[in-house]
């Protein structure tokens, strides 16, 4: 029940992890917790967000090119 997000100076926020859990909660396939603890990490720019994301991404979950394009458009 812990997730991390990056925050840019202009206030934009990006989820760094918890994507699968959020989907499962939204679709009712996993019971939604009463509350979630979020670590907000300040980042100077999008390049810093992308670098930080690699540290939270599960190394056993291989992101395909299709996943990357889909994520970029989201």
């Amino acid at each position: 029940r812990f997730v991390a997000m990056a925050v840019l100076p202009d206030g934009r926020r990006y989820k760094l992890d918890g994507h699968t859990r959020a989907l499962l909660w939204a679709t009712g396939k996993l019971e939604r917790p009463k509350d979630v603890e979020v670590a907000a990490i300040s980042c100077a720019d999008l390049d810093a967000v992308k670098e930080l994301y690699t540290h939270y991404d599960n190394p056993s979950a291989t992101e395909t090119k299709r996943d990357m394009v889909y994520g970029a458009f989201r």
Side-chain angles (χ1 to χ4, degrees), residues 13-28:
R13 299 173 291 180
Y14 296 90
K15 192 184 323 180
L16 297 171
D17 71 345
H19 298 86
T20 302
R21 285 173 282 163
L23 175 64
L24 294 174
W25 295 334
T27 59

Side-chain angles (χ1 to χ4, degrees), residues 2-54:
F2 176 85
V3 295
M5 73 174 175
V7 182
L8 292 178
D10 65 6
R12 287 180 290 166
R13 299 173 291 180
Y14 296 90
K15 192 184 323 180
L16 297 171
D17 71 345
H19 298 86
T20 302
R21 285 173 282 163
L23 175 64
L24 294 174
W25 295 334
T27 59
K29 295 180 180 177
L30 183 66
E31 185 177 343
R32 185 182 301 252
K34 185 175 178 178
D35 51 12
V36 176
E37 187 175 336
V38 180
I41 303 166
S42 297
C43 290
D45 53 33
L46 279 175
D47 287 332
V49 173
K50 291 175 186 176
E51 173 62 26
L52 191 57
Y53 175 77
T54 65

